[in-house]
Amino acid sequence: MLRFILQRFFGLMVTMFFVSIMVFVIMELPPGDYADRYAFRKYSGTGVNVTQGDIENIRRDFGLHKPAWQRYGDWIGGIITKFDFGESFAFETSVNNVIGKRLWLTLAILFCTLVLTYLLAIPIAIYAAIRRHSIADYALTVFSYLGLALPNFLLALLLLYVSVTIFDSSVGGLFSPQYEKAAWSLAKLLDLLKHLVVPAIVLAWSATALQIQTVRATMLDELNKLSVTAARARGIPEWKVLLKYPTRLAINPVVSTIGFDVNRIFSELPIVALVLGLPELGELLIQSYLDLDMYVAGAILLMLTFFIVVMNFISDIALAFLDPRISLQEG
Amino acid sequence: MDPNLLIDVQNLRVSFRTDEGIITPVEHVNYRIKREKTLGIVGESGSGKSVSTRALIKLLPKNAIVDPESKILFNRGNGTEPLDINLLPAGSKEIRKLRGGEIAMIFQEPMASFSPVYTIGNQIMEAVRTHRLSSNSPLAATSTVGTHISESLKAKYNNVSKKEARSIAVDMLRRVGIANADLRVDQYPHELSGGMRQRAMIAVALSTHPSILIADEPTTALDVTIQAQILELMKELQTELGMSIIFITHDMGVIAQVADEIAVMYLGTIVERGPKEAVINDPLHPYTKGILRAIPKLNNLGARLEAVGGDIPGPHERPTGCPFHPRCPQRITKTCDKLHPERIEKTPEHFVRCFLHL
Ligand SMILES: Nc1ncnc2c1ncn2[C@@H]1O[C@H](COP(=O)(O)OP(=O)(O)O)[C@@H](O)[C@H]1O
Ligand code: SF4
Ligand SMILES: [Mg+2]
């Protein structure tokens, strides 16, 4: 098992290395470089005549005169050793300052969405499979098709409308106005959770529908296995048979798609965030592209892919623990 | 009930609700199992061997209906009334005690019988801890099926501990001939060979010291040498543990090696049943004669070609009258296709359903 974990960890490092190179290439793509944009931003409209020499000086100040591989080294080195993602050109402060809060809020949304998806999908799917052909089973099937068909942002708008008109509460943003600037407290945390519910429901909606279908199908498969009949023939109580044998295996496809779910949540988050007015990373990523604020864009891209890769790693390891056949095959 | 009998099945009839209506693939089934003896059930695939034996522990799919008139009598011994298993509700505690505890079962596919994600030992210990009382319990020696032990007494003499169950598991693996049992106990099914898995499956089944083992085609998936070893092992354990066996197969050659009594099934009915020698040396039913001729003999390998002609009808096209009449070379027109033959005791303990023996 240790060997399997080390192998996967090595894989993670290699993936991150290639990802960081790709991100760096993307950061270099816009025409001109940081010095050009810095000079333009700083002196335009001030009447100062910027010479080629001035730009050259700025370039030297920022180390931009070095070859690309050295600049990549500086950038990634700063991130690894000092957790320094560089300077934001649009905000005129460090990238860390710009991203900071949004990073934690994005992670909070991600975490809430995943928990909500799995808490709903797994028990519902298992129930539907055990009560196959019951009214509940058919109702859930209809629901899950609906879930797949309804676009996210539409659901977000709907929930926004419902909560404002019926519950008279603001779901937009992450905090109610009175907590916006307040220091962290239990009340503020509860307020945050209250605001996370709607985005979590919106983002969990289609994933839940999808997972219900996969888990239900796997569960039906597992229920027909001879090993389940054999366990019943041993006189094990039915609830224990169901939990220990088919359920345990029906969870595997969920675990193996955690990375996929994270990926999907990150892609859907910006639209949902836009509708709900959430200050998260995806929205900032789009803004930073528009501003050509490439250090910010790079940092966000790197972080989002890092989470996906790490979640994939976790899901691989968890799966190996759940299914002893996996680590033996490859180990 | 005759104290030598363990199980007496009378008029077993099992139907299934299907999308095309109700089918009754098992009907007019009567068989008895003597203590410490082996009943061999032989019949083509689909003849109802599995359904008619799984009914003994109500291990049937949800769409199955067992006729409430059918009787499945289980002899609890010491002069008590026999227990009619058919009267017990499917999910009841009594049924669960019977399953594994008194009536254990092994299946054709040893690999599929084990869950791949738990060790062999885990699955043996699960059976042991479900059924066996701790060895220092005075209740351990008595059968607990159908007897009402007060809850307080049960709490006092708990089921075996994990540690004890593990040593029972290791011991059981050793007894079924698995070397390095103390290492094997922690291995997963895929780490064992096919023959070893079937041995382990036998270990799971026998770890609770059941009164009877139902072996549903236990050697069909194994190659011939391993098959012979498993048959030998089952015989050994039978004498050692003093249990009865129902051995299901579609291979008359295998039945001849293991059975004391033989029941021949055709289309959900036992068409002939009797002591092994009587059935093999003096078969009464035309179907039995047909399958006996189909066993290849060393001096006459070509004889296999003489097998029973024709195809088995599907479950929705059960013939009227004698179920075998469309394929029977000796059928009596206007009788065999109209009337269902009753059970006839031709010689003591040798039964047949055929109008030729009226
Ligand atoms: N779940 C089920 N639903 C409907 N019919 C079934 C079901 N299980 C078994 N049967 C019917 O019972 C017949 C006998 O099956 P089975 O006892 O498994 O045969 P055997 O073990 O002799 O090969 C089958 O041919 C099939 O028609
Ligand atoms: S009853 Fe008639 S059809 Fe059936 S086996 Fe006997 S002779 Fe053949
Ligand atoms: Mg069968």
Side-chain angles (χ1 to χ4, degrees):
Chain A
M1 185 51 100
L2 188 68
R3 197 183 140 166
F4 177 78
I5 295 176
L6 287 177
Q7 268 177 3
R8 286 300 143 112
F9 187 72
F10 180 71
L12 180 149
M13 302 306 276
V14 172
T15 314
M16 277 321 294
F17 173 68
F18 283 111
V19 165
S20 68
I21 289 179
M22 270 165 63
V23 170
F24 186 73
V25 169
I26 292 172
M27 288 164 67
E28 298 270 305
L29 278 182
D33 66 7
Y34 188 70
D36 292 326
R37 272 169 265 142
Y38 184 85
F40 175 78
R41 168 97 177 193
K42 191 159 183 185
Y43 300 112
S44 67
T46 57
V48 179
N49 215 353
V50 186
T51 64
Q52 201 55 37
D54 292 337
I55 293 183
E56 210 48 57
N57 284 336
I58 298 170
R59 202 162 273 152
R60 206 167 295 276
D61 285 348
F62 286 113
L64 294 175
H65 60 294
K66 294 183 195 170
W69 67 268
Q70 267 186 15
R71 273 181 285 126
Y72 169 76
D74 288 348
W75 176 67
I76 204 77
I79 294 172
I80 292 171
T81 57
K82 290 178 285 186
F83 204 67
D84 174 13
F85 285 88
E87 293 289 312
S88 162
F89 148 79
F91 295 89
E92 297 188 346
T93 171
S94 76
V95 171
N96 293 19
N97 276 343
V98 178
I99 288 180
K101 246 191 238 153
R102 286 172 181 257
L103 171 65
W104 296 115
L105 296 174
T106 305
L107 283 181
I109 294 175
L110 173 71
F111 185 72
C112 286
T113 307
L114 287 178
V115 168
L116 189 69
T117 305
Y118 301 144
L119 277 186
L120 285 176
I122 294 171
I124 288 178
I126 283 167
Y127 179 81
I130 293 171
R131 294 262 175 280
R132 191 185 185 182
H133 298 320
S134 68
I135 294 178
D137 181 26
Y138 290 127
L140 289 166
T141 308
V142 172
F143 159 79
S144 59
Y145 279 114
L146 270 181
L148 287 176
L150 193 66
N152 260 326
F153 60 91
L154 216 62
L155 183 68
L157 283 171
L158 208 71
L159 286 178
L160 199 60
Y161 177 79
V162 167
S163 61
V164 170
T165 53
I166 299 179
F167 297 106
D168 194 29
S169 71
S170 77
V171 286
L174 276 167
F175 298 102
S176 309
Q178 67 266 36
Y179 291 109
E180 196 79 60
K181 294 271 182 299
W184 278 102
S185 63
L186 190 66
K188 183 166 175 173
L189 188 70
L190 285 177
D191 186 60
L192 171 66
L193 280 178
K194 229 171 75 192
H195 281 82
L196 281 178
V197 167
V198 169
I201 289 177
V202 172
L203 289 166
W205 184 263
S206 59
T208 304
L210 192 70
Q211 292 288 14
I212 285 178
Q213 294 193 350
T214 19
V215 175
R216 180 180 172 276
T218 325
M219 186 73 183
L220 284 178
D221 245 30
E222 289 297 330
L223 279 171
N224 284 326
K225 290 267 165 81
L226 185 59
S227 53
V228 177
T229 308
R232 288 195 180 116
R234 288 198 285 277
I236 315 302
E238 184 67 12
W239 63 268
K240 203 176 162 193
V241 171
L242 292 177
L243 280 184
K244 183 172 172 183
Y245 296 98
T247 302
R248 158 85 183 261
L249 281 143
I251 290 175
N252 288 4
V254 176
V255 174
S256 65
T257 52
I258 292 177
F260 176 80
D261 279 337
V262 174
N263 195 339
R264 195 194 43 78
I265 290 170
F266 282 156
S267 349
E268 293 177 2
L269 190 49
I271 298 176
V272 174
L274 201 66
V275 175
L276 295 175
L278 300 172
E280 52 73 58
L281 287 179
E283 189 207 4
L284 183 63
L285 177 63
I286 295 170
Q287 192 55 47
S288 62
Y289 280 140
L290 296 176
D291 292 344
L292 293 180
D293 198 355
M294 296 323 280
Y295 278 108
V296 173
I300 296 175
L301 278 177
L302 204 58
M303 282 178 188
L304 295 184
T305 37
F306 181 69
F307 294 138
I308 295 171
V309 173
V310 165
M311 291 307 258
N312 265 324
F313 172 73
I314 292 174
S315 111
D316 275 356
I317 303 295
L319 202 60
F321 271 106
L322 281 176
D323 194 336
R325 288 168 296 184
I326 290 172
S327 58
L328 270 149
Q329 270 164 21
E330 309 188 13
Chain B
M1 199 166 170
D2 179 350
N4 279 327
L5 280 186
L6 182 66
I7 288 174
D8 188 358
V9 176
Q10 297 171 4
N11 274 321
L12 179 64
R13 190 180 132 99
V14 185
S15 311
F16 289 94
R17 272 182 291 261
T18 69
D19 292 341
E20 289 90 41
I22 289 188
I23 57 168
T24 305
V26 168
E27 213 175 359
H28 308 296
V29 165
N30 296 270
Y31 60 91
R32 303 189 304 194
I33 296 126
K34 297 197 180 111
R35 285 189 189 277
E36 303 184 23
K37 297 281 189 234
T38 301
L39 171 72
I41 301 183
V42 66
E44 285 158 302
S45 164
S47 58
K49 306 182 295 293
S50 299
V51 169
S52 58
T53 46
R54 285 184 186 198
L56 295 191
I57 47 174
K58 303 223 153 174
L59 195 66
L60 292 171
K62 279 195 193 118
N63 62 333
I65 317 159
V66 180
D67 185 347
E69 302 281 302
S70 306
K71 279 194 182 354
I72 302 167
L73 302 178
F74 180 77
N75 192 352
R76 283 171 291 177
N78 37 33
T80 49
E81 275 290 291
L83 178 73
D84 188 348
I85 297 174
N86 200 23
L87 296 180
L88 301 174
S92 66
K93 233 178 172 166
E94 280 84 0
I95 284 288
R96 272 193 278 119
K97 274 187 192 162
L98 280 168
R99 289 180 178 178
E102 292 288 335
I103 304 177
M105 210 171 229
I106 56 172
F107 304 91
Q108 178 173 343
E109 297 287 341
M111 183 61 181
S113 309
F114 280 109
S115 165
V117 298
Y118 298 100
T119 60
I120 301 288
N122 176 305
Q123 294 173 70
I124 301 181
M125 284 159 68
E126 179 189 52
V128 170
R129 297 195 71 202
T130 308
H131 295 289
R132 269 171 73 166
L133 296 164
S134 184
S135 54
N136 49 24
S137 155
L139 297 173
T142 60
S143 160
T144 53
V145 175
T147 50
H148 293 283
I149 301 164
S150 75
E151 289 300 319
S152 60
L153 204 58
K154 247 191 274 177
K156 212 161 146 191
Y157 302 110
N158 254 330
N159 283 20
V160 294
S161 67
K162 265 197 176 143
K163 216 176 131 211
E164 209 180 328
R166 196 189 146 85
S167 70
I168 292 174
V170 173
D171 179 55
M172 216 46 234
L173 287 176
R174 211 170 273 140
R175 280 166 89 161
V176 297
I178 290 181
N180 297 329
D182 46 346
L183 296 176
R184 293 290 183 190
V185 75
D186 292 322
Q187 287 193 325
Y188 290 94
H190 61 264
E191 298 176 75
L192 271 58
S193 69
M196 217 158 7
R197 270 182 223 132
Q198 195 57 290
R199 283 173 190 268
M201 200 62 224
I202 293 173
V204 177
L206 301 188
S207 62
T208 58
H209 293 178
S211 324
I212 175 167
L213 174 69
I214 300 174
D216 193 346
E217 313 220 18
T219 56
T220 306
L222 304 175
D223 70 55
V224 185
T225 40
I226 295 174
Q227 170 174 319
Q229 289 169 9
I230 297 284
L231 294 181
E232 193 53 43
L233 173 71
M234 286 178 68
K235 269 193 200 162
E236 269 171 42
L237 290 168
Q238 179 172 32
T239 13
E240 213 177 301
L241 302 172
M243 59 176 178
S244 311
I245 293 180
I246 297 181
F247 196 102
I248 298 172
T249 178
H250 58 259
D251 186 342
M252 198 63 167
V254 171
I255 281 287
Q257 288 176 53
V258 293
D260 298 301
E261 270 200 291
I262 295 179
V264 181
M265 273 196 102
Y266 184 78
L267 272 191
T269 307
I270 292 181
V271 293
E272 178 165 3
R273 172 164 65 89
K276 173 171 79 179
E277 293 75 20
V279 173
I280 289 180
N281 299 329
D282 186 18
L284 299 174
H285 198 278
Y287 178 65
T288 316
K289 289 179 186 164
I291 52 176
L292 279 171
R293 269 199 303 273
I295 302 178
K297 294 185 182 69
L298 275 182
N299 56 1
N300 188 7
L301 280 172
R304 205 179 236 291
L305 300 174
E306 254 186 83
V308 190
D311 290 325
I312 328 173
H316 297 282
E317 40 199 30
R318 275 176 77 88
T320 54
C322 170
F324 189 56
H325 86 258
R327 294 168 78 187
C328 181
Q330 288 165 274
R331 76 174 153 262
I332 310 160
T333 23
K334 297 228 165 96
T335 305
C336 295
D337 51 345
K338 300 236 150 50
L339 303 168
H340 188 270
E342 289 301 312
R343 203 153 54 104
I344 299 157
E345 188 165 5
K346 191 70 181 168
T347 58
E349 309 237 315
H350 193 172
F351 300 88
V352 67
R353 281 182 189 272
C354 173
F355 289 117
L356 296 173
H357 297 278
L358 273 179

